[in-house]
Amino acid sequence: MSKTKYDRQLRIWGEVGQAALEEASICLLNCGPTGSEALKNLVLGGVGSITIVDGSKVELGDLGNNFMVDERSVGQSKAKSTCAFLQELNDSVKAKFVEESPDALIMTSPSFFSQFTLVIATQLVEDSMVKLDRICREANVKVVFVRSYGLAGLVRVSVKEHTIIDSKPDHFLDDLRLNNPWPELYSFVETIDLNVSDHVAHKHIPYVVILVKMADEWTKSHGGNLPSTREEKKEFKDFVQSKMISMDEDNYKEAIEAAFKVFAPRGISSEIQQICNDTCAEPSSNSSDFWVMVAALKEFVSNEGDGEAPLEGSIPDMTSSTEHYINLQKIYLAKAEADFLVMEKRVKNILKRIGRDPSSISKPTIKSFCKNARKLKVCRYRTVEDEFSNPSVTEIQKCLADEDYSGAMGFYVLLRAVDRFTANYNKFPGQFDGGMDEDISRLKTTALSLLADLGCNGSVLPDDLINEMCRFGASELHVVAAFVGGIASQEVIKLVTKQFVPMLGTYIFNGIDHKSQLLTL
Amino acid sequence: MVLMDAPQSKSRDLDKLLLRSGNLVGPGFFPGTDLRDDIREYVRVLVVGAGGLGCELLKDLALSGFRNLDVIDMDRIEVTNLNRQFLFRLEDVGKPKAEVAAKRVMERVSGVEIKPHFSRIEDKELDFYNDFNIIALGLDSIEARRYINGVACGFLEYDEDDNPRSETIKPMVDGGTEGFKGHARVIVPGVTPCFECTIWLFPPQVKFPLCTLAETPRNAAHCIEYAHLIKWHEVHGGKSFDPDEPEHMKWVYDEAIKRAELFGIPGVTYSLTQGVVKNIIPAIASTNAIISAACALETLKIVSGCSKTLANYLTYNGGEGLHTKVTEFESDKECLVCGPGILIELDTSITLQKFIDMLEEHPKLLLSKASVKHGKDSLYMQAPPVLEEMHRPNLSKPLYDLMGRVEKDTVHVFGTALKNEEKQSSLTKLRVVFKEVDGVADMDTATLRVNSKRKTPL
């Protein structure tokens, strides 16, 4: 029954991803709408356990922006009320709450956070963000910071290093090796005669066979080289086309469209090359499984792979007779399996060398690594403290001068400015009615001095934006909270399942014109 | 974070946007308690769909100052909904979505009135839709979106200078999601492109060639569709396949397995069978929450003017990093649905029958079996038979007379149009203009004069 409940999401991250979610323990700091909306999405998805930390009581105003509280909860603990509602959404999730102020907990009990997989830290001011980030980096706990402020918002992932095998990119070139066939593929292709007289057979020869054969013919008559210049590529396509005997030959049309795969450069991409050259690719006793496998990959590429990564093994659908297609599939699967066996051996050897049990990395893990070897990703994040004290000045200046980015960058600066403002004046600008003009002018001064401190002299913030920030008066609007909370929950899912790719940068939500941006600071 | 005690108001946060003036606001924004109270009392929003997007929309709108909501959905709750349609519990399975969703939101947000409609969107009168200030769409099909779009744009009227009459504009906010991707858009008929103007945004549905299914299957999906589309009819004759009937699905699965074994194709599973046959779209709570929030925010802005609005299409992709983009699409002046209408110039003598015949030949319409409506009056209906018979006498009358002898007016025609080699039912707006209307009493002379001046083919 529970499996059917998760059907629609299992189709995205599979049983393996779901298992990872069900093992995760998530801590939420502050359960206003921003935090509770983020958590709601995770509870619905079946996360293992949640712990809500919030010391506040439900106020009348909360009834206007928070779905987790109702009239009966006014005066009671907000954490308790939120916990109860979330538990109703999914009784397989273990839900707890701690009635304490997150800021106090950060100050007095840093060890509290070590028990969690990930902390969702919402509505924290700059100071607390920096402190929490330090604590969690130390304890190897992932953090996602979220903030919602009027029509502005922020989401920031903070993890020292997040490695991904199953990155599941939207579009990625198939691994057909038309530009670098191996002996068994050649042998198979040899058994098929392109000039077969039967018309039906002629148009059911898969394009892989057509292109491997014709590329081979070409290289033999061109000194061993594949087409490289524009003219040569055109000539090659015409050459393929010349073999068509009628207009309805889809297999030949596909071959012409796929000809670019023959011209594609051989070997691994520069991104994978970079990963292989990373200092972490030198295996040691405390290397993670990912890096051990990267070390094996590096060895493979230099040896058996002859410049290539292990073959992915699957082939896309193409016009073909069933028999040819199935046989072709078998050839690719066989090579992928052979490459996997080599990789497995190398992984075991490396594990032995670094003093680990050679079977400590499972077969399925190595298999998945091989299949995804061309798509690996490594994400590293600056500490929040680093970003705050040393952001990229060029990025700030460039964005403030760009029509599409100035709103988002403006909000980024202003979100930091309002925290400084609070430190000076004990309230957020525009938080209370009255004194608006004074707050606007004070906020402007604060923001400009912040920019100067960061080294961005001469940068201007649009006055309208400063006015808006005061107008917002630190309000937490439900729809903005739901939006950034939603984004945060999605990042949590990616971080916990280790599938897909988390955001790299600081996301600023701009609810005025929706020109939200991912800033690289 | 409240540092000092402030006077308690339930709309503490919304008040900041609605009661305070700003610079980056919409045209005609009058901040104040009147605005806030007017939204509460008078503004009516229709939420179409009470599924993944609909549930979120109802919550978002209820917590954005709206008090008068309606929700329409023809479906009942299923177990597979529960991973994201958070208003439903296990014990609600089988109940109408609209009714349970309305009830749950009203329980939690006091003061909001939500009227559920457990019905198909096509079963509502056009007047029903006209009662709302704005329509928020949480639909999962192109056809349903097209339908609502046609209805909302049908209310639009243009003045003599081809400008939309503002009181006839029915704005819509539309959202859609699939896995980690989604979109949110604002449609203001006559101003921004409507759904039809940008129909090219939606890629055509993948269909396997029949010969692949019948002769050269290569993968599991081919085997499944063979069983579903070909073998089913061979064995079951006229009985239609019901994807919600477990026995039917099991039959298709078993046949797909047999075929796969015959051809040596791996990969047929029950889950894949369901996915292919039902065209299941993977769905999660987070993407729905994000897109609905964007839609609800725009709804608030359009109605109140409290901030500038999205112009006009937001795409979201959270799978590979995070990408959001705003594109300002332009409306198609010749859009059949939201445009001023295809101009049809006619003689005052043209009969309704001749008019209907012309529609079939018209290059932009190719509309066959047309029913014709002028405002609230049906001039001719193709079906049902009893109404067809009732309206049949109109066919021999001049259209000019039937339309009350006005010089020009909007007419809606409904029939079967040939689009991309597919027959689709189509509701289209026409601007009919009668030529040489200057009080000529002699019909014969008028026809002759008009004929000699006619330049464009009808």
Side-chain angles (χ1 to χ4, degrees):
Chain A
M1 181 62 83
S2 64
K3 287 306 168 195
T4 331
K5 173 165 81 170
Y6 295 136
D7 180 84
R8 297 299 186 264
Q9 65 196 41
L10 287 171
R11 288 170 193 273
I12 297 177
W13 52 69
E15 299 278 356
V16 175
Q18 187 63 32
L21 269 177
E22 289 174 16
E23 269 170 40
S25 77
I26 311 285
C27 173
L28 172 68
L29 301 182
N30 289 317
C31 59
T34 307
S36 53
E37 288 294 315
L39 211 53
K40 152 185 141 278
N41 300 329
L42 295 169
V43 164
L44 288 168
V47 75
S49 74
I50 59 169
T51 304
I52 300 174
V53 179
D54 190 317
S56 66
K57 304 277 184 213
V58 179
E59 291 174 10
L60 199 60
D62 294 332
L63 298 181
N65 74 356
N66 196 336
F67 199 72
M68 315 286 156
V69 303
D70 60 14
E71 305 208 300
R72 291 163 298 175
S73 34
V74 174
Q76 301 195 12
S77 153
K78 203 189 286 177
K80 183 171 181 213
S81 187
T82 306
C83 202
F85 178 80
L86 289 176
Q87 185 73 91
E88 264 182 51
L89 292 185
N90 191 341
D91 49 26
S92 3
V93 175
K94 296 192 196 43
K96 285 203 317 261
F97 69 94
V98 172
E99 217 182 321
E100 270 239 49
S101 138
D103 288 328
L105 215 56
I106 289 170
M107 290 296 290
T108 61
S109 316
S111 57
F112 170 77
F113 299 99
S114 323
Q115 56 179 302
F116 301 108
T117 315
L118 186 149
V119 176
I120 303 176
T122 71
Q123 306 298 75
L124 293 183
V125 294
E126 196 171 306
D127 209 45
S128 307
M129 283 172 72
V130 168
K131 290 198 176 82
L132 179 70
D133 196 38
R134 251 187 239 140
I135 295 169
C136 290
R137 280 280 166 128
E138 190 82 20
N140 214 16
V141 171
K142 306 184 219 277
V143 187
V144 178
F145 291 101
V146 202
R147 214 164 158 188
S148 123
Y149 193 107
L151 292 177
L154 173 148
V155 183
R156 164 68 146 88
V157 168
S158 186
V159 180
K160 183 158 178 221
E161 181 183 276
H162 179 75
T163 58
I164 311 160
I165 296 172
D166 203 359
S167 63
K168 295 196 155 109
D170 254 341
H171 302 286
F172 205 89
L173 196 58
D174 42 50
D175 199 12
L176 290 174
R177 302 282 171 91
L178 300 179
N179 55 1
N180 198 0
W182 63 97
E184 287 82 359
L185 181 58
Y186 267 125
S187 308
F188 172 72
V189 161
E190 221 114 276
T191 65
I192 300 173
D193 179 14
L194 284 190
N195 301 316
V196 64
S197 54
D198 175 47
H199 181 51
V200 171
H202 193 268
K203 65 178 190 173
H204 280 95
I205 296 172
Y207 78 73
V208 165
V209 172
I210 297 172
L211 287 175
V212 168
K213 264 193 194 280
M214 305 203 72
D216 189 43
E217 250 189 78
W218 175 284
T219 50
K220 288 199 170 101
S221 59
H222 285 80
N225 298 315
L226 283 170
S228 56
T229 66
R230 250 182 72 190
E231 295 76 36
E232 287 184 328
K233 291 177 185 176
K234 171 118 193 357
E235 229 187 285
F236 181 78
K237 281 187 176 173
D238 291 341
F239 180 36
V240 174
Q241 182 143 21
S242 69
K243 300 288 182 184
M244 273 177 93
I245 59 176
S246 77
M247 281 319 290
D248 70 340
E249 302 209 289
D250 285 338
N251 58 336
Y252 275 91
K253 287 185 194 156
E254 287 167 15
I256 294 164
E257 260 182 52
F260 73 94
K261 298 179 189 180
V262 174
F263 319 141
R266 292 175 172 177
I268 57 175
S269 70
S270 56
E271 208 182 328
I272 301 300
Q273 189 68 66
Q274 246 187 333
I275 293 177
C276 287
N277 292 340
D278 195 290
T279 43
C280 291
E282 286 302 315
S284 69
S285 54
N286 49 16
S287 291
S288 67
D289 289 357
F290 177 85
W291 289 111
V292 167
M293 289 187 283
V294 169
L297 175 66
K298 196 171 174 184
E299 288 177 7
F300 179 93
V301 171
S302 314
N303 295 292
E304 297 88 353
D306 196 22
E308 303 274 5
L311 187 73
E312 199 262 346
S314 69
I315 62 175
D317 192 26
M318 59 190 78
T319 302
S320 169
S321 70
T322 307
E323 195 189 331
H324 283 330
Y325 188 80
I326 304 273
N327 287 333
L328 203 57
Q329 265 185 327
K330 288 188 182 146
I331 303 277
Y332 278 82
L333 283 170
K335 165 114 175 97
E337 177 69 16
D339 285 354
F340 156 71
L341 289 171
V342 172
M343 278 288 289
E344 192 187 19
K345 222 165 159 187
R346 289 196 169 274
V347 167
K348 284 189 198 291
N349 282 337
I350 292 172
L351 284 171
K352 270 193 216 133
R353 281 204 321 258
I354 60 176
R356 275 179 62 181
D357 173 5
S359 55
S360 59
I361 300 182
S362 73
K363 239 184 168 69
T365 306
I366 302 174
K367 264 212 161 121
S368 173
F369 185 90
C370 287
K371 236 178 131 58
N372 290 291
R374 299 170 311 141
K375 307 174 189 176
L376 305 173
K377 285 256 188 248
V378 176
C379 301
R380 291 185 176 123
Y381 297 83
R382 293 183 81 180
T383 61
V384 156
E385 184 168 16
D386 266 355
E387 180 189 310
F388 282 172
S389 49
N390 246 332
S392 158
V393 170
T394 29
E395 178 81 354
I396 297 178
Q397 288 170 330
K398 192 179 76 174
C399 291
L400 285 177
D402 181 313
E403 194 187 287
D404 286 335
Y405 284 78
S406 58
M409 185 54 86
F411 275 142
Y412 175 81
V413 174
L414 287 167
L415 278 169
R416 294 190 55 189
V418 299
D419 285 348
R420 276 199 182 188
F421 185 104
T422 313
N424 285 337
Y425 304 105
N426 222 22
K427 59 159 185 163
F428 285 103
Q431 186 170 1
F432 307 109
D433 291 331
M436 189 66 86
D437 287 335
E438 194 180 41
D439 278 357
I440 291 174
S441 131
R442 281 173 172 171
L443 180 60
K444 184 166 182 176
T445 314
T446 311
L448 289 175
S449 100
L450 170 63
L451 279 171
D453 286 350
L454 296 177
C456 299
N457 304 306
S459 284
V460 277
L461 285 177
D463 276 334
D464 283 343
L465 217 60
I466 298 174
N467 282 14
E468 278 298 280
M469 206 64 174
C470 288
R471 181 176 167 224
F472 296 159
S475 54
E476 206 174 338
L477 298 168
H478 182 83
V479 283
V480 177
F483 190 100
V484 293
I487 301 254
S489 61
Q490 212 149 78
E491 294 304 308
V492 171
I493 289 172
K494 291 189 277 183
L495 289 165
V496 165
T497 59
K498 290 188 187 262
Q499 295 180 26
F500 301 95
V501 184
M503 70 165 81
L504 264 168
T506 305
Y507 180 74
I508 298 294
F509 173 71
N510 176 352
I512 298 178
D513 52 16
H514 279 289
K515 290 194 180 169
S516 310
Q517 302 292 359
L518 200 55
L519 306 175
T520 315
L521 296 153
Chain B
M1 182 185 151
V2 178
L3 295 162
M4 272 165 53
D5 266 303
Q8 290 295 306
S9 158
K10 242 168 94 171
S11 60
R12 168 195 68 199
D13 298 84
L14 267 174
D15 282 351
K16 302 274 192 318
L17 274 195
L18 295 177
L19 269 46
R20 295 176 169 187
S21 62
N23 296 342
L24 299 171
V25 296
F29 172 56
F30 296 112
T33 49
D34 281 349
L35 173 64
R36 179 191 67 193
D37 297 341
D38 282 351
I39 292 175
R40 264 187 208 152
E41 258 212 73
Y42 299 115
V43 174
R44 293 190 62 194
V45 184
L46 173 66
V47 174
V48 185
L53 288 166
C55 285
E56 296 279 347
L57 278 168
L58 286 171
K59 159 185 69 78
D60 292 342
L61 292 168
L63 291 174
S64 297
F66 294 97
R67 288 277 169 273
N68 300 298
L69 305 172
D70 282 56
V71 60
I72 178 170
D73 193 310
M74 64 180 183
D75 285 334
R76 292 180 183 272
I77 298 164
E78 292 171 25
V79 171
T80 53
N81 298 150
L82 301 178
N83 79 325
R84 64 202 182 281
Q85 297 172 26
F86 67 98
L87 297 174
F88 311 142
R89 309 278 172 267
L90 195 55
E91 52 272 18
D92 297 323
V93 171
K95 297 185 195 160
K97 288 188 178 184
E99 289 171 14
V100 178
K103 181 168 142 241
R104 282 278 151 65
V105 177
M106 285 195 283
E107 271 168 15
R108 299 210 65 90
V109 184
S110 76
V112 72
E113 286 292 318
I114 308 181
K115 189 148 178 256
H117 303 267
F118 175 42
S119 89
R120 301 175 68 235
I121 53 180
E122 296 90 341
D123 293 341
K124 290 292 191 189
E125 295 289 318
L126 291 183
D127 280 344
F128 167 76
Y129 293 102
N130 212 5
D131 276 343
F132 299 99
N133 299 84
I134 183 165
I135 302 176
L137 310 184
L139 293 165
D140 59 2
S141 80
I142 295 180
E143 297 75 44
R145 285 188 176 92
R146 272 183 125 156
Y147 183 82
I148 299 280
N149 183 68
V151 167
C153 293
F155 299 127
L156 183 65
E157 282 171 34
Y158 284 84
D159 63 20
E160 310 81 49
D161 303 313
D162 273 359
N163 293 319
R165 283 191 214 277
S166 57
E167 68 279 9
T168 63
I169 296 178
K170 185 78 61 194
M172 287 171 281
V173 180
D174 170 62
T177 67
E178 180 170 343
F180 283 110
K181 298 189 193 152
H183 81 267
R185 70 189 296 186
V186 167
I187 299 179
V188 182
V191 179
T192 71
C194 78
F195 190 74
E196 207 71 32
C197 291
T198 51
I199 197 74
W200 47 266
L201 279 169
F202 291 88
Q205 297 237 296
V206 174
K207 280 198 170 114
F208 299 125
L210 216 53
C211 54
T212 301
L213 299 185
E215 275 139 50
T216 55
R218 297 176 291 273
N219 60 36
H222 297 155
C223 300
I224 293 164
E225 286 290 66
Y226 168 81
H228 169 220
L229 300 172
I230 298 177
K231 191 77 190 211
W232 175 273
H233 292 290
E234 270 178 30
V235 172
H236 293 95
K239 188 158 91 172
S240 56
F241 173 79
D242 180 0
D244 292 321
E245 185 58 53
E247 271 176 35
H248 290 200
M249 191 62 79
K250 177 108 192 1
W251 187 94
V252 166
Y253 168 69
D254 289 338
E255 285 300 318
I257 288 272
K258 279 189 214 155
R259 187 157 177 85
E261 269 166 17
L262 185 64
F263 283 89
I265 295 171
V268 175
T269 62
Y270 193 75
S271 171
L272 183 65
T273 304
Q274 286 179 308
V276 170
V277 170
K278 284 180 161 189
N279 197 24
I280 290 179
I281 296 176
I284 45 180
S286 49
T287 319
N288 281 326
I290 293 163
I291 295 299
S292 303
C295 290
L297 175 58
E298 292 311 305
T299 306
L300 173 63
K301 289 188 206 167
I302 290 170
V303 160
S304 68
C306 69
S307 182
K308 292 183 181 297
T309 52
L310 166 69
N312 46 57
Y313 198 103
L314 172 72
T315 51
Y316 168 83
N317 190 343
E320 248 175 294
L322 174 54
H323 298 282
T324 57
K325 184 168 186 226
V326 174
T327 311
E328 188 161 8
F329 288 110
E330 284 187 5
S331 53
D332 177 1
K333 289 285 166 276
E334 289 171 35
C335 177
L336 288 180
V337 177
C338 75
I342 301 254
L343 183 63
I344 307 251
E345 291 183 305
L346 300 172
D347 287 343
T348 52
S349 62
I350 298 290
T351 60
L352 180 56
Q353 178 68 68
K354 186 85 175 64
F355 175 69
I356 289 174
D357 292 340
M358 276 160 38
L359 297 176
E360 204 157 348
E361 304 294 315
H362 194 292
K364 279 199 175 138
L365 292 170
L366 301 174
L367 194 73
S368 51
K369 290 191 174 303
S371 301
V372 183
K373 205 164 176 194
H374 173 233
K376 287 196 193 303
D377 302 320
S378 288
L379 301 186
Y380 180 70
M381 293 179 75
Q382 298 271 352
V386 69
L387 289 176
E388 193 280 323
E389 206 180 313
M390 203 171 95
H391 289 96
R392 210 183 296 158
N394 285 347
L395 291 174
S396 51
K397 297 185 188 162
L399 182 61
Y400 179 62
D401 290 349
L402 291 169
M403 282 174 67
R405 297 193 161 205
V406 288
E407 194 190 326
K408 61 178 177 183
D409 208 350
T410 303
V411 150
H412 286 94
V413 289
F414 180 80
T416 312
L418 205 63
K419 278 178 183 151
N420 302 325
E421 293 166 66
E422 254 185 67
K423 284 204 176 146
Q424 283 175 26
S425 55
S426 156
L427 173 65
T428 313
K429 186 163 45 169
L430 303 176
R431 224 172 5 149
V432 172
V433 174
F434 292 102
K435 298 193 281 186
E436 299 295 324
V437 174
D438 53 2
V440 173
D442 189 335
M443 284 307 287
D444 288 326
T445 322
T447 314
L448 270 172
R449 282 228 314 262
V450 170
N451 273 341
S452 69
K453 286 193 168 153
R454 189 165 67 209
K455 280 173 276 192
T456 51
L458 286 165

